[in-house]
Amino acid sequence: MDWLERVAKLRRWTNNDVRAPHKPLLLLYALGSFQRDADGELRYSAVEEELKRLLEEYGPSHATTPAYPFHHLVSDGVWEVRTDQGLGSPGSGVRVLRSSGATGRLAPELRTALRKEPALLGRLARVLLDFHFPPSLHADLCEAVGLDLDPVEAADVISGPGGTGRAARRQRDRRMRELVLTAYEFQCAFCGYDGMLGASTVGLEAAHVRWWSFDGPDEVDNGLCLCSLHHKLFDKGVLGLGEGHRILVSQRFVGRSEASRQHVLALAGGPVIGPQAGIPPVASRHRQWHAEQVFRGEAREPQLQAHAS
């Protein structure tokens, strides 16, 4: 059984452009749990709040529940659920999962495979990370689920002759970074940061507006040159793009320090810097995808600027 292919196909559970990383998040959490305790089980009532926090931070912007993937992941052949009555999930209802004493863990065959080949755990995790989340969030997500990964690239495993995984069909364009940074004249499109270390830029990155893991193209009209801070906040949904290429700041973001005000809150309603003349700005279809699938909640009103007396 090719576990990498099976895990890769979790991507098919999503509906076209809609982000639905519920199953991948639960599976990452289960892999982290297995790494710490290969014989342990996850009682739904005990892990519900932690799973809910993961969904709130890394899932879609609308309200959701971990009960759904806890039940439905069974159908993918990588997960099993038991209750006080024995093997089998009681359903996707929160109350029934709590009252039945439901516990979940990786499927027996997958646990056996992981014991025989410990490196498989890292490869599975990287498939989930690469297919469902941008690279800027990988380290934070691994820390959140308690995963300590070996430096294994899942794409190398599932590509090649006979490979049917998504990585076998798509390869990143290494020119993307240079093209995007050049288009925005090597400065952050949100704050204007343009740091250099000698002759090299430092702290500037090419951000995909529509994530590469969700068929976002490696093209300039799907990219922004952002500093490391604003790239992370953009991928977390704190920042977004509005009509007229204005910067959006989520109402859900809270920052009380002068640094938060200056580097985040003050951006609300401000114009995107760039791209240079003759280069297309972010395409509306990519901007709309980010607004619907990544940006968190409603946008703040622009801050009133204080006037000197």
Side-chain angles (χ1 to χ4, degrees):
M1 181 178 296
D2 192 333
W3 291 106
L4 292 170
E5 292 292 342
R6 177 164 291 191
V7 168
K9 289 178 181 179
L10 290 180
R11 175 67 174 84
R12 297 180 180 178
W13 181 76
T14 63
N15 180 20
N16 296 325
D17 294 342
V18 178
R19 285 188 65 224
H22 308 68
K23 289 182 179 180
L25 281 171
L26 176 57
L27 191 50
L28 282 168
Y29 186 88
L31 290 172
S33 176
F34 180 88
Q35 193 174 49
R36 295 187 299 275
D37 179 8
D39 296 317
E41 293 181 326
L42 300 172
R43 183 171 291 273
Y44 180 80
S45 58
V47 301
E48 180 181 6
E49 288 304 314
E50 193 168 0
L51 291 173
K52 189 180 297 184
R53 285 193 294 271
L54 277 176
L55 283 169
E56 289 174 352
E57 187 168 0
Y58 296 99
S61 58
H62 57 269
T64 187
T65 171
Y68 192 86
F70 204 92
H71 165 73
H72 285 286
L73 189 58
V74 172
S75 65
D76 291 276
V78 297
W79 177 253
E80 69 172 12
V81 174
R82 291 179 179 271
T83 67
D84 296 337
Q85 283 71 48
L87 182 64
S89 174
S92 60
V94 171
R95 292 182 180 178
V96 70
L97 285 169
R98 292 172 182 166
S99 62
S100 65
T103 61
R105 62 177 177 173
L106 300 176
E109 298 88 349
L110 178 52
R111 299 200 306 271
T112 299
L114 289 170
R115 289 188 177 98
K116 289 182 178 178
E117 185 184 355
L120 176 62
L121 187 146
R123 298 188 186 108
L124 293 174
R126 292 197 181 279
V127 166
L128 293 166
L129 291 168
D130 288 344
F131 281 30
H132 299 277
F133 305 96
S136 66
L137 301 183
H138 289 185
D140 291 348
L141 187 48
C142 286
E143 183 176 355
V145 300
L147 269 171
D148 182 15
L149 298 184
D150 293 328
V152 178
E153 292 295 335
D156 293 338
V157 178
I158 61 176
S159 60
T164 58
R166 190 165 181 268
R169 300 194 300 270
R170 291 190 73 210
Q171 296 293 330
R172 291 181 182 271
D173 188 341
R174 295 184 178 182
R175 300 173 299 169
M176 172 73 170
R177 182 179 184 275
E178 180 182 354
L179 292 173
V180 169
L181 267 61
T182 299
Y184 286 84
E185 300 183 282
F186 298 89
Q187 61 179 337
C188 176
F190 287 173
C191 69
Y193 168 84
D194 59 355
M196 303 280 290
L197 183 64
S200 301
T201 60
V202 59
L204 287 174
E205 301 166 357
H208 282 74
V209 179
R210 179 188 176 113
W211 294 354
W212 189 89
S213 53
F214 281 81
D215 298 316
D218 286 329
E219 298 174 358
V220 172
D221 70 355
N222 186 42
L224 284 171
C225 176
L226 296 177
C227 67
S228 299
L229 171 63
H230 291 137
H231 188 179
K232 176 66 71 65
L233 296 180
F234 189 66
D235 284 346
K236 289 295 289 287
V238 172
L239 300 176
L241 292 176
E243 296 288 345
H245 295 278
R246 294 281 170 172
I247 302 169
L248 304 180
V249 178
S250 173
Q251 291 179 353
R252 299 185 188 181
F253 175 81
V254 176
R256 300 180 178 86
S257 67
E258 176 61 21
S260 292
R261 190 204 67 78
Q262 179 180 348
H263 297 299
V264 183
L265 298 175
L267 297 176
V272 171
I273 303 170
Q276 60 178 283
I279 295 179
V282 174
S284 60
R285 65 186 184 279
H286 301 319
R287 176 182 58 79
Q288 189 64 27
W289 182 88
H290 188 276
E292 294 175 354
Q293 301 301 322
V294 180
F295 188 70
R296 298 282 173 166
E298 300 298 322
R300 287 175 173 267
E301 292 295 327
Q303 288 191 329
L304 295 177
Q305 300 298 319
H307 296 283
S309 57

